[in-house]
Amino acid sequence: MTAVSRAVLRFVALVAAMSMTAAVFAQDSADAQADVWSTIENEWAAASKGNDRWIDQYLADDFVGWGTNSPAPRNKMSTRMWERFQQTQGKTVAHELYPLSIVVRGDVAVAHYLYSAAFENKDGEVEMSNGRYTDVLVLEEDGWKFLAWHGGDD
């Protein structure tokens, strides 16, 4: 085998190895994005059930979120307080989420999405809303947790 043939063979082997690595990385990235999206959907479903246990399950201890209906960012304790108040006002009876983009880099993820929701107030009237969120999640030992979010009704 000539030196040129060996060089071509090495180049082909290198390209093949890089292609396999890229395919594995792409699959890992797609799996991580799917896990993040599943966490977001599960958090919305749990919050819609009318108890605040979802807060401990899905929010990181150092969580800070800023909804558009809040004058300032809220930590985990404040989120729990306002969630309990919201439960006295009615309940979410339906929602749908529309993912726009999810970026995962290591143990941090950023997700952008839209939503539609139906809220039945304590008088039985249903109010429809549409809005958007940007969520920041971190991967902890027991799965993805919300570190921050910003968004709300349009």
Side-chain angles (χ1 to χ4, degrees):
M1 186 178 286
T2 68
V4 172
S5 297
R6 280 192 298 269
V8 169
L9 186 59
R10 285 184 191 146
F11 177 74
V12 169
L14 178 63
V15 169
M18 289 173 53
S19 296
M20 288 187 295
T21 302
V24 168
F25 178 75
Q27 183 60 47
D28 287 347
S29 179
D31 290 347
Q33 289 173 337
D35 290 346
V36 167
W37 186 245
S38 177
T39 299
I40 293 168
E41 288 183 315
N42 290 339
E43 182 271 334
W44 274 75
S48 295
K49 290 182 179 168
N51 66 57
D52 61 2
R53 287 189 300 246
W54 65 267
I55 292 171
D56 289 324
Q57 183 176 359
Y58 291 105
L59 302 188
D61 290 339
D62 50 350
F63 166 83
V64 177
W66 197 351
T68 56
N69 63 347
S70 173
R74 293 182 174 150
N75 64 18
K76 193 171 178 178
M77 186 174 68
S78 180
T79 299
R80 184 185 319 281
M81 181 194 70
W82 284 103
E83 178 65 19
R84 287 182 179 153
F85 171 75
Q86 181 72 12
Q87 291 169 13
T88 67
Q89 303 305 301
K91 62 184 177 180
T92 300
V93 293
H95 71 270
E96 187 172 9
L97 306 179
Y98 310 94
L100 299 176
S101 70
I102 299 174
V103 176
V104 178
R105 179 162 301 172
D107 61 354
V108 177
V110 178
H112 302 285
Y113 59 95
L114 304 174
Y115 69 87
S116 292
F119 183 81
E120 183 178 356
N121 66 27
K122 59 186 174 184
D123 298 324
E125 299 167 344
V126 175
E127 303 163 3
M128 298 296 298
S129 64
N130 298 294
R132 64 195 71 235
Y133 267 95
T134 296
D135 297 338
V136 178
L137 294 90
V138 291
L139 185 58
E140 296 187 351
E141 289 179 11
D142 55 343
W144 289 99
K145 302 280 186 178
F146 290 83
L147 180 61
W149 61 45
H150 178 69
D153 292 353
D154 286 338

